[in-house]
Coordinates of all heavy atoms in Angstrom, one line a residue:
I9 N 0.9 -1.2 0.0 CA 0.0 0.0 0.0 C 0.9 1.2 0.0 O 1.8 1.3 0.8 CB -0.9 0.0 1.2 CG1 -1.9 -1.2 1.2 CG2 -1.7 1.3 1.3 CD1 -2.7 -1.3 2.5
K10 N 0.7 2.1 -0.9 CA 1.4 3.4 -1.0 C 0.6 4.4 -0.2 O -0.6 4.5 -0.3 CB 1.6 3.9 -2.4 CG 2.4 2.9 -3.2 CD 2.8 3.5 -4.6 CE 1.6 4.1 -5.3 NZ 1.8 4.5 -6.6
L11 N 1.2 5.2 0.6 CA 0.5 6.2 1.5 C 0.0 7.3 0.7 O -0.9 8.0 1.2 CB 1.5 6.7 2.6 CG 1.9 5.7 3.6 CD1 2.9 6.3 4.5 CD2 0.7 5.1 4.4
N12 N 0.4 7.5 -0.6 CA -0.1 8.6 -1.3 C -1.1 8.2 -2.4 O -1.4 9.0 -3.3 CB 1.0 9.4 -2.0 CG 1.8 8.6 -3.0 OD1 1.6 7.4 -3.0 ND2 2.6 9.2 -3.8
D13 N -1.6 7.0 -2.3 CA -2.7 6.6 -3.3 C -4.0 7.3 -3.0 O -4.3 7.6 -1.9 CB -2.9 5.1 -3.1 CG -2.0 4.2 -3.9 OD1 -1.2 4.8 -4.7 OD2 -1.9 3.0 -3.7
T14 N -4.6 7.6 -4.1 CA -6.0 8.2 -4.0 C -7.0 7.1 -3.9 O -6.7 6.0 -4.4 CB -6.3 9.1 -5.2 OG1 -6.2 8.3 -6.4 CG2 -5.4 10.3 -5.2
V15 N -8.1 7.3 -3.2 CA -9.1 6.3 -3.1 C -10.4 6.9 -3.6 O -10.8 7.9 -3.1 CB -9.2 5.7 -1.7 CG1 -8.0 4.9 -1.4 CG2 -9.3 6.8 -0.7
P16 N -11.1 6.2 -4.5 CA -12.4 6.8 -5.0 C -13.5 6.6 -4.0 O -14.5 7.3 -4.0 CB -12.6 6.0 -6.2 CG -11.9 4.7 -6.1 CD -10.7 5.0 -5.2
N17 N -13.4 5.6 -3.1 CA -14.5 5.3 -2.1 C -13.9 5.1 -0.7 O -13.5 4.0 -0.5 CB -15.3 4.1 -2.6 CG -16.6 3.9 -1.8 OD1 -16.6 4.1 -0.6 ND2 -17.6 3.5 -2.5
M18 N -14.0 6.1 0.1 CA -13.4 5.9 1.5 C -14.1 4.8 2.3 O -13.5 4.1 3.0 CB -13.5 7.3 2.2 CG -12.9 7.3 3.6 SD -11.1 6.9 3.5 CE -10.5 8.4 2.8
D19 N -15.4 4.6 2.1 CA -16.1 3.6 2.8 C -15.6 2.2 2.5 O -15.5 1.3 3.4 CB -17.6 3.6 2.4 CG -18.3 4.8 3.0 OD1 -17.8 5.4 4.0 OD2 -19.4 5.2 2.4
E20 N -15.2 2.0 1.2 CA -14.6 0.7 0.8 C -13.2 0.5 1.5 O -12.9 -0.6 1.9 CB -14.4 0.6 -0.7 CG -15.7 0.4 -1.4 CD -15.6 0.3 -2.9 OE1 -14.4 0.3 -3.4 OE2 -16.6 0.3 -3.6
V21 N -12.5 1.5 1.6 CA -11.1 1.5 2.3 C -11.3 1.1 3.7 O -10.6 0.2 4.3 CB -10.4 2.8 2.1 CG1 -9.1 2.8 2.9 CG2 -10.0 3.0 0.6
V22 N -12.2 1.8 4.4 CA -12.4 1.6 5.8 C -12.9 0.1 6.0 O -12.5 -0.6 6.9 CB -13.4 2.6 6.4 CG1 -13.8 2.2 7.9 CG2 -12.8 4.0 6.4
D23 N -13.8 -0.3 5.2 CA -14.3 -1.7 5.2 C -13.2 -2.7 5.1 O -13.2 -3.7 5.8 CB -15.4 -1.9 4.1 CG -16.0 -3.3 4.2 OD1 -16.7 -3.6 5.2 OD2 -15.8 -4.1 3.3
F24 N -12.3 -2.4 4.2 CA -11.1 -3.3 4.0 C -10.3 -3.4 5.3 O -10.0 -4.5 5.7 CB -10.3 -2.8 2.8 CG -9.0 -3.6 2.7 CD1 -8.9 -4.8 2.1 CD2 -7.8 -3.0 3.1 CE1 -7.7 -5.5 1.9 CE2 -6.6 -3.7 3.0 CZ -6.6 -4.9 2.4
Y25 N -10.0 -2.3 5.9 CA -9.2 -2.3 7.1 C -9.9 -3.0 8.2 O -9.3 -3.7 9.0 CB -8.7 -0.9 7.5 CG -7.5 -0.5 6.7 CD1 -7.6 0.1 5.5 CD2 -6.2 -0.7 7.3 CE1 -6.4 0.5 4.8 CE2 -5.1 -0.3 6.6 CZ -5.2 0.3 5.4 OH -4.1 0.6 4.7
L26 N -11.2 -2.8 8.3 CA -12.0 -3.4 9.4 C -12.2 -4.8 9.2 O -12.0 -5.7 10.1 CB -13.3 -2.6 9.6 CG -13.2 -1.2 10.0 CD1 -14.6 -0.6 10.1 CD2 -12.4 -1.0 11.3
N27 N -12.7 -5.2 8.1 CA -13.2 -6.6 7.9 C -12.2 -7.5 7.3 O -12.4 -8.8 7.4 CB -14.5 -6.5 7.0 CG -15.6 -5.8 7.7 OD1 -15.9 -6.1 8.9 ND2 -16.2 -4.8 7.1
I28 N -11.2 -7.0 6.6 CA -10.1 -7.9 6.1 C -8.9 -7.9 6.9 O -8.4 -9.0 7.3 CB -9.8 -7.5 4.6 CG1 -11.0 -7.5 3.7 CG2 -8.7 -8.4 4.1 CD1 -11.7 -8.8 3.6
L29 N -8.4 -6.8 7.3 CA -7.2 -6.7 8.1 C -7.4 -6.8 9.6 O -6.5 -6.9 10.4 CB -6.4 -5.4 7.8 CG -5.9 -5.3 6.3 CD1 -5.1 -4.0 6.1 CD2 -5.1 -6.5 6.0
G30 N -8.7 -6.7 10.1 CA -9.0 -6.8 11.5 C -8.8 -5.6 12.4 O -8.8 -5.7 13.6
F31 N -8.7 -4.4 11.8 CA -8.7 -3.2 12.6 C -10.0 -3.0 13.3 O -11.1 -3.5 12.9 CB -8.4 -2.0 11.8 CG -7.0 -1.8 11.4 CD1 -6.3 -2.7 10.6 CD2 -6.3 -0.7 11.7 CE1 -5.0 -2.6 10.2 CE2 -5.0 -0.5 11.4 CZ -4.3 -1.4 10.6
K32 N -10.1 -2.3 14.5 CA -11.3 -2.0 15.2 C -11.4 -0.5 15.3 O -10.4 0.2 15.3 CB -11.2 -2.6 16.6 CG -10.9 -4.1 16.7 CD -12.1 -4.9 16.2 CE -11.8 -6.4 16.3 NZ -12.5 -7.2 15.4
V33 N -12.7 0.0 15.3 CA -12.9 1.4 15.4 C -12.7 1.9 16.8 O -13.2 1.3 17.8 CB -14.3 1.8 14.9 CG1 -14.7 3.2 15.2 CG2 -14.5 1.4 13.5
S34 N -11.9 2.9 17.0 CA -11.7 3.6 18.3 C -12.7 4.7 18.5 O -13.2 4.9 19.6 CB -10.3 4.1 18.4 OG -9.3 3.1 18.3
D35 N -12.8 5.6 17.5 CA -13.6 6.8 17.6 C -14.1 7.2 16.2 O -13.5 6.9 15.2 CB -12.8 8.0 18.1 CG -12.4 7.9 19.5 OD1 -13.2 7.7 20.3 OD2 -11.1 8.0 19.7
Y36 N -15.2 8.0 16.2 CA -15.6 8.7 15.0 C -15.6 10.2 15.5 O -16.2 10.5 16.5 CB -17.0 8.4 14.6 CG -17.2 7.0 14.1 CD1 -17.8 6.0 14.8 CD2 -16.7 6.6 12.8 CE1 -18.0 4.7 14.3 CE2 -16.9 5.3 12.3 CZ -17.5 4.4 13.1 OH -17.7 3.1 12.6
I37 N -14.9 11.0 14.8 CA -14.8 12.4 15.2 C -15.2 13.3 14.1 O -14.7 13.1 13.0 CB -13.3 12.8 15.7 CG1 -13.0 11.9 16.9 CG2 -13.2 14.3 16.0 CD1 -11.6 12.1 17.4
S38 N -16.1 14.2 14.3 CA -16.5 15.2 13.3 C -16.3 16.6 13.8 O -16.6 16.9 14.9 CB -18.0 15.0 12.9 OG -18.2 13.7 12.4
F39 N -15.8 17.4 12.9 CA -15.7 18.9 13.2 C -15.7 19.6 11.9 O -15.3 19.1 10.8 CB -14.4 19.2 14.0 CG -13.1 18.7 13.3 CD1 -12.4 19.5 12.5 CD2 -12.7 17.4 13.5 CE1 -11.2 19.1 11.9 CE2 -11.5 16.9 12.9 CZ -10.8 17.8 12.1
S40 N -16.3 20.8 11.9 CA -16.6 21.5 10.7 C -17.3 20.6 9.7 O -18.3 20.1 10.1 CB -15.3 22.1 10.1 OG -14.6 23.0 11.0
E41 N -16.8 20.4 8.6 CA -17.4 19.5 7.6 C -16.6 18.2 7.4 O -16.8 17.5 6.4 CB -17.6 20.3 6.3 CG -18.5 21.4 6.4 CD -18.7 22.2 5.1 OE1 -18.2 21.7 4.1 OE2 -19.3 23.3 5.2
I42 N -15.7 17.9 8.3 CA -14.8 16.7 8.1 C -15.2 15.7 9.2 O -15.4 16.0 10.3 CB -13.4 17.1 8.3 CG1 -13.0 18.1 7.2 CG2 -12.5 15.9 8.3 CD1 -11.6 18.7 7.4
S43 N -15.3 14.4 8.7 CA -15.6 13.3 9.6 C -14.4 12.4 9.5 O -14.0 12.0 8.4 CB -16.8 12.6 9.2 OG -17.9 13.4 9.4
L44 N -13.8 12.0 10.6 CA -12.7 11.1 10.7 C -13.1 9.8 11.4 O -13.8 9.8 12.3 CB -11.5 11.7 11.4 CG -11.0 13.0 10.9 CD1 -10.0 13.6 11.9 CD2 -10.4 12.9 9.5
T45 N -12.5 8.7 10.9 CA -12.7 7.4 11.5 C -11.3 6.9 12.1 O -10.4 6.7 11.3 CB -13.2 6.3 10.5 OG1 -14.4 6.7 10.0 CG2 -13.4 4.9 11.2
F46 N -11.2 6.8 13.4 CA -10.0 6.4 14.0 C -10.0 4.9 14.3 O -11.1 4.4 14.8 CB -9.7 7.2 15.3 CG -9.3 8.6 15.1 CD1 -10.3 9.6 14.9 CD2 -8.0 9.0 15.1 CE1 -9.9 10.9 14.7 CE2 -7.6 10.3 14.9 CZ -8.6 11.3 14.7
T47 N -9.0 4.2 14.0 CA -9.0 2.7 14.2 C -7.7 2.3 15.0 O -6.8 3.1 15.1 CB -9.0 2.0 12.9 OG1 -7.8 2.3 12.2 CG2 -10.2 2.4 12.0
H48 N -7.8 1.1 15.5 CA -6.6 0.5 16.2 C -6.5 -1.0 15.8 O -7.4 -1.6 15.5 CB -6.7 0.7 17.7 CG -7.8 0.0 18.3 ND1 -7.6 -1.2 19.0 CD2 -9.1 0.3 18.4 CE1 -8.8 -1.6 19.4 NE2 -9.7 -0.7 19.1
V49 N -5.2 -1.5 15.9 CA -5.0 -2.9 15.6 C -4.1 -3.5 16.8 O -3.7 -4.6 16.7 CB -4.3 -3.0 14.2 CG1 -2.8 -2.5 14.3 CG2 -4.4 -4.4 13.7
N50 N -3.9 -2.7 17.8 CA -3.1 -3.1 19.0 C -3.7 -2.4 20.2 O -4.7 -1.7 20.1 CB -1.6 -2.9 18.7 CG -1.3 -1.4 18.4 OD1 -2.0 -0.5 18.8 ND2 -0.3 -1.2 17.7
P51 N -3.0 -2.5 21.3 CA -3.6 -1.8 22.5 C -3.6 -0.3 22.5 O -4.3 0.3 23.3 CB -2.7 -2.3 23.7 CG -2.1 -3.6 23.2 CD -1.9 -3.4 21.7
R52 N -2.9 0.3 21.6 CA -2.9 1.8 21.5 C -4.3 2.2 21.1 O -5.0 1.5 20.4 CB -1.9 2.3 20.4 CG -0.5 2.0 20.8 CD 0.5 2.9 20.1 NE 0.1 4.3 20.2 CZ 0.5 5.1 21.3 NH1 1.1 4.5 22.3 NH2 0.2 6.4 21.3
H53 N -4.7 3.4 21.5 CA -6.1 3.9 21.2 C -6.3 4.2 19.7 O -7.3 3.9 19.2 CB -6.4 5.1 22.1 CG -7.8 5.5 22.0 ND1 -8.2 6.7 21.6 CD2 -8.9 4.8 22.3 CE1 -9.5 6.8 21.6 NE2 -10.0 5.7 22.1
H54 N -5.3 4.8 19.1 CA -5.4 5.1 17.7 C -4.2 4.5 16.9 O -3.0 4.9 17.3 CB -5.4 6.6 17.4 CG -6.6 7.2 18.0 ND1 -6.5 8.5 18.6 CD2 -7.9 6.9 18.1 CE1 -7.7 8.8 19.1 NE2 -8.6 7.9 18.7
S55 N -4.4 3.7 15.9 CA -3.3 3.2 15.1 C -3.3 3.9 13.7 O -2.3 4.2 13.1 CB -3.4 1.7 14.8 OG -3.2 1.0 16.0
L56 N -4.5 4.2 13.2 CA -4.7 4.7 11.9 C -6.0 5.4 11.8 O -7.0 5.0 12.3 CB -4.7 3.6 10.8 CG -4.7 3.9 9.4 CD1 -3.5 4.7 9.0 CD2 -4.7 2.6 8.6
A57 N -6.0 6.6 11.2 CA -7.3 7.4 11.0 C -7.5 7.6 9.5 O -6.6 7.8 8.7 CB -7.2 8.7 11.7
F58 N -8.8 7.6 9.2 CA -9.2 7.8 7.8 C -10.1 9.1 7.7 O -10.9 9.3 8.6 CB -10.1 6.6 7.3 CG -9.3 5.3 7.3 CD1 -9.5 4.5 8.4 CD2 -8.5 5.0 6.3 CE1 -8.8 3.3 8.5 CE2 -7.8 3.8 6.3 CZ -8.0 2.9 7.4
G59 N -9.8 9.9 6.7 CA -10.6 11.1 6.5 C -10.4 11.6 5.1 O -9.4 11.2 4.4
P60 N -11.2 12.6 4.7 CA -11.0 13.2 3.3 C -9.8 14.1 3.3 O -9.4 14.7 4.3 CB -12.3 13.9 3.1 CG -12.7 14.3 4.5 CD -12.3 13.2 5.4
A61 N -9.2 14.3 2.1 CA -8.2 15.3 1.9 C -8.8 16.7 1.9 O -10.0 16.8 1.6 CB -7.5 15.1 0.6
P62 N -8.1 17.7 2.3 CA -8.6 19.1 2.3 C -9.2 19.4 0.9 O -8.6 19.0 -0.1 CB -7.5 20.0 2.7 CG -6.5 19.0 3.4 CD -6.7 17.7 2.8
E63 N -10.2 20.3 0.9 CA -10.7 20.7 -0.4 C -9.6 21.4 -1.3 O -8.8 22.1 -0.8 CB -11.9 21.7 -0.2 CG -12.6 22.1 -1.4 CD -13.9 22.9 -1.2 OE1 -14.5 22.7 -0.1 OE2 -14.2 23.6 -2.0
G64 N -9.7 21.1 -2.5 CA -8.7 21.6 -3.5 C -7.5 20.7 -3.7 O -6.7 20.9 -4.6
R65 N -7.3 19.7 -2.8 CA -6.2 18.8 -3.0 C -6.6 17.7 -3.9 O -7.7 17.1 -3.7 CB -5.8 18.3 -1.6 CG -4.5 17.6 -1.6 CD -4.0 17.4 -0.2 NE -2.7 16.8 -0.2 CZ -1.6 17.5 0.0 NH1 -1.7 18.8 0.2 NH2 -0.4 16.9 -0.1
R66 N -5.8 17.3 -4.8 CA -6.2 16.3 -5.8 C -6.0 14.9 -5.4 O -6.5 13.9 -5.9 CB -5.5 16.5 -7.1 CG -6.0 17.7 -7.8 CD -5.5 17.7 -9.2 NE -4.8 18.9 -9.6 CZ -4.3 19.1 -10.7 NH1 -4.4 18.2 -11.7 NH2 -3.7 20.3 -10.9
S67 N -5.1 14.7 -4.4 CA -4.8 13.3 -4.0 C -4.8 13.2 -2.5 O -4.8 14.2 -1.7 CB -3.4 13.0 -4.5 OG -2.4 13.8 -3.9
A68 N -4.8 12.0 -2.0 CA -4.8 11.7 -0.6 C -3.4 12.1 -0.1 O -2.4 12.2 -0.8 CB -5.1 10.3 -0.3
Y69 N -3.3 12.3 1.2 CA -2.0 12.6 1.8 C -1.8 12.0 3.2 O -2.8 11.7 3.8 CB -1.7 14.1 1.7 CG -2.6 14.9 2.8 CD1 -2.0 15.4 3.9 CD2 -3.9 15.0 2.6 CE1 -2.7 16.0 4.9 CE2 -4.7 15.7 3.6 CZ -4.1 16.2 4.7 OH -4.8 16.8 5.6
L70 N -0.6 12.0 3.7 CA -0.4 11.5 5.0 C -0.2 12.8 5.9 O 0.6 13.6 5.7 CB 0.9 10.7 5.1 CG 1.4 10.2 6.4 CD1 0.3 9.2 7.0 CD2 2.7 9.5 6.3
D71 N -1.1 12.9 6.9 CA -1.1 14.1 7.8 C 0.0 13.9 8.8 O 0.8 14.8 9.1 CB -2.4 14.2 8.4 CG -2.5 15.5 9.3 OD1 -2.6 16.6 8.8 OD2 -2.3 15.3 10.5
H72 N 0.1 12.8 9.5 CA 1.1 12.6 10.5 C 1.2 11.1 10.8 O 0.3 10.3 10.5 CB 0.9 13.4 11.8 CG -0.3 12.9 12.6 ND1 -1.5 13.4 12.3 CD2 -0.4 12.1 13.6 CE1 -2.4 12.8 13.2 NE2 -1.7 12.0 14.0
I73 N 2.3 10.7 11.4 CA 2.6 9.3 11.7 C 3.3 9.2 13.1 O 4.1 10.1 13.4 CB 3.4 8.6 10.6 CG1 3.5 7.1 10.8 CG2 4.8 9.2 10.5 CD1 4.0 6.3 9.6
M74 N 3.0 8.2 13.8 CA 3.7 8.0 15.1 C 4.3 6.6 15.1 O 3.7 5.7 14.7 CB 2.7 8.1 16.3 CG 3.4 8.0 17.6 SD 2.3 7.5 18.9 CE 2.6 5.8 18.9
L75 N 5.6 6.5 15.6 CA 6.3 5.3 15.7 C 6.6 5.0 17.1 O 7.0 6.0 17.9 CB 7.6 5.3 14.9 CG 7.4 5.5 13.4 CD1 8.8 5.7 12.7 CD2 6.6 4.4 12.7
T76 N 6.5 3.8 17.6 CA 7.0 3.4 18.9 C 8.3 2.6 18.8 O 8.3 1.7 18.0 CB 5.9 2.5 19.6 OG1 4.7 3.3 19.7 CG2 6.4 2.2 21.0
V77 N 9.3 3.1 19.5 CA 10.6 2.5 19.4 C 11.1 2.0 20.8 O 11.0 2.8 21.7 CB 11.7 3.4 18.8 CG1 13.0 2.8 18.7 CG2 11.2 3.9 17.4
S78 N 11.5 0.8 20.9 CA 12.0 0.3 22.2 C 13.5 0.2 22.0 O 14.1 -0.3 21.1 CB 11.5 -1.1 22.5 OG 10.1 -1.1 22.6
I79 N 14.2 0.8 23.0 CA 15.7 0.8 23.0 C 16.2 0.2 24.3 O 15.7 0.6 25.4 CB 16.2 2.3 22.9 CG1 15.8 2.9 21.7 CG2 17.7 2.3 23.1 CD1 16.1 4.4 21.5
S80 N 17.0 -0.8 24.2 CA 17.6 -1.4 25.4 C 19.0 -0.8 25.6 O 19.8 -0.8 24.7 CB 17.8 -2.9 25.1 OG 16.5 -3.5 25.0
L81 N 19.3 -0.4 26.8 CA 20.6 0.2 27.1 C 21.3 -0.7 28.0 O 20.9 -1.4 28.8 CB 20.4 1.6 27.8 CG 19.7 2.6 26.9 CD1 19.6 3.9 27.7 CD2 20.6 2.9 25.7

C-alpha cells in the first residue's frame, strides 16, 4: 500500500481495514465539515485514522505518523 494513493470510495477502504485486516474502530470524530474514523490494531487507542483530503487537494496525503521504538541500554 502506498501512502499517497488516492481512493475513490473511502467507505470501501475503511471496510477493507476493518473486515479484512482486523482493525477495530476507536472513535468517530466530526468537526466543521470533516468526519474522521480512528482505528486501532493493537492496545494503542489510535493506530490509523481515515478522512478526506482538504478541499482543493487532488490526492490523498499523510497528515502525521507516530512510531513506537524500544531501546535497550
